[in-house]
Amino acid sequence: MGSTPPMKSMKPGIMRPMRVLGVETSCDETGVAVYDTEAGLLAHVLHSQVDLHARYGGVVPEIASRDHLRRLLPLVREALEAAGIERADAVAYTAGPGLVGALMVGGGLANGLALAWGCPVVPVHHMEGHLLAPLLEPDPPEPPFLALLVSGGHTLLVGVDGLGRYRRLGTTLDDAVGEAFDKAAKMLGLGYPGGPALAALAREGDERAIDLPRPMLNRPGLDFSFSGLKTALMLEVRRAEAAGRLDEERANIAAAFQRAAIDTLVGRTLKAAREERASRIVVAGGVGANALLRAELAASFDGRVYYPRPEFCTDNGAMIALAGALRLEDAGPPGPILARARWPLEALAPPGALGVAA
Ligand code: KG4
Ligand code: ZN
């Protein structure tokens, strides 16, 4: 499971090996992991709340916070046991962006553990965690690279020049792409979370049967927009329903939606790669698990594309433990909990320059 510490070239010299406990509670996954700055990932455990929220068709913040409270401590015990340690040398936690109540559960426990263990605590930016997740794999990418961050809350193209050196190149003007998948799935009567369900249904459909727009593809700049596509999908669902043909057309509509969304992502990413002269692209976040996105990027990009393994595409504690290990210089004593609903990635700075706590 272990690997050599990634981003070595940018990494401040750590005097001795440190075991960092990572805690992720920003949304509906409770994730805990232990990352060793020399031996790599020692353990990771996860509890998904998907079943709890499914009947509401989306994440209910209060239910999420309560379930994190219930699950977190047993998961910490499990991760420490799996790593073969009794305590960590530092604790990293997701400080934002995310649901504030859910973040406070993880931040509270992280600060409490650090106080009990007499060790430092590192607040981590959730999207930096996603961005660094491919570094948990063997043969990790070295900066500079282009990152496409695609999740339920974000659609971002980022120029990564080093740890904490992020330039936002493009973002969505409305819905995040994962959110668009989730809403499209809901309109098609599929379960939550919609992305994997829609992708599975799309495999049975003909994407050419229905023509949907590829928003922004012919516009200048590198921003995204998915609300027009969502409206077009809604009109197709209504048309099929009115014709009494929704059941037979459902898979075709799903396939056409997925194709339009992925074409948009790939088109913008290739444009950014050309402008940045990037030879490496990192794709991270839940939508990075999408098989069509992976196939299209592999077929159309000349350089190399890096992904985390599928379980580290979606939210997890391992990426937070790793980001915390790389940001140990930003660690401080236990204190006020940092919990931010909104927090632009480009507001971060390299470690040691108040990169996360500012
Ligand atoms: O990164 P993540 O676990 O949580 C957030 O930080 O949002 O991403 C979850 C999002 C959801 O919108 C989910 O529907 C989407 O990722 N997703 C997918 C796939 N797997 C997960 N979207 C498209 N295709 C998939 N295979
Ligand atoms: Zn996420």
Side-chain angles (χ1 to χ4, degrees):
M1 209 180 224
S3 62
T4 48
M7 282 191 160
K8 238 183 186 156
S9 55
M10 296 181 304
K11 212 171 138 192
I14 290 167
M15 301 308 285
R16 62 186 174 88
M18 302 265 283
R19 271 107 27 128
V20 181
L21 183 82
V23 174
E24 158 62 36
T25 63
S26 66
C27 191
D28 60 345
E29 324 275 351
T30 319
V32 182
V34 180
Y35 185 88
D36 184 310
T37 53
E38 284 215 342
L41 189 63
L42 298 182
H44 76 95
V45 289
L46 185 84
H47 173 76
S48 172
Q49 304 178 357
V50 159
D51 294 344
L52 272 185
H53 300 287
R55 79 174 102 147
Y56 303 102
V59 177
V60 183
E62 177 68 18
I63 294 178
S65 309
R66 288 175 189 220
D67 200 58
H68 286 308
L69 261 183
R70 207 166 17 240
R71 306 284 176 179
L72 197 48
L73 206 45
L75 284 178
V76 167
R77 282 205 192 95
E78 204 181 318
L80 291 174
E81 205 170 298
I85 58 175
E86 286 186 359
R87 39 151 292 173
D89 304 305
V91 186
Y93 70 96
T94 303
L99 303 170
V100 166
L103 291 168
M104 288 196 306
V105 176
L109 185 82
N111 276 277
L113 285 174
L115 194 63
W117 291 340
C119 74
V121 64
V122 198
V124 169
H125 191 293
H126 180 77
M127 295 313 291
E128 182 170 66
H130 275 304
L131 193 154
L132 298 174
L135 308 189
L136 289 160
E137 307 307 330
D139 191 17
E142 279 286 336
F145 54 76
L146 174 69
L148 173 68
L149 303 180
V150 276
S151 71
H154 292 85
T155 309
L156 275 173
L157 276 167
V158 185
V160 177
D161 301 322
L163 185 64
R165 298 179 196 279
Y166 308 130
R167 287 173 291 114
R168 190 177 77 177
L169 306 172
T171 189
T172 181
L173 303 178
D174 38 61
D175 288 352
V177 61
E179 189 182 0
F181 266 90
D182 291 337
K183 288 179 178 167
K186 203 168 178 177
M187 285 187 240
L188 288 167
L190 303 172
Y192 169 84
L198 191 142
L201 180 63
R203 276 198 289 276
E204 296 162 27
D206 176 3
E207 63 188 35
R208 287 159 307 182
I210 288 152
D211 197 24
L212 291 175
R214 274 96 174 123
M216 310 290 284
L217 263 193
N218 298 319
R219 299 258 191 97
L222 291 168
D223 285 332
F224 302 88
S225 163
F226 292 99
S227 67
L229 174 60
K230 193 180 63 186
T231 308
L233 177 98
M234 188 180 71
L235 294 176
E236 284 299 331
V237 170
R238 284 197 190 150
R239 178 197 51 75
E241 233 166 9
R245 292 172 49 83
L246 184 56
D247 274 348
E248 55 203 272
E249 287 200 39
R250 208 184 297 270
N252 290 348
I253 299 175
F257 173 86
Q258 174 174 249
R259 167 57 67 183
I262 297 303
D263 277 359
T264 305
L265 286 182
V266 172
R268 289 317 232 189
T269 304
L270 293 178
K271 184 168 185 246
R274 279 193 302 274
E275 288 177 11
E276 289 280 299
R277 297 177 197 278
S279 59
R280 289 178 288 270
I281 298 177
V282 158
V283 180
V287 184
N290 185 277
L292 183 64
L293 173 63
R294 291 179 174 224
E296 288 301 316
L297 275 180
S300 55
F301 179 58
D302 279 345
R304 184 159 165 203
V305 189
Y306 296 80
Y307 301 92
R309 71 193 83 164
E311 68 205 283
F312 293 161
C313 275
T314 44
D315 293 349
N316 64 86
M319 67 186 195
I320 303 305
L322 167 68
L326 291 173
R327 282 200 171 272
L328 273 173
E329 268 189 59
D330 296 323
I337 302 162
L338 193 63
R340 290 182 176 172
R342 292 176 191 282
W343 190 4
L345 182 68
E346 62 275 19
L348 296 185
L354 289 181
V356 293

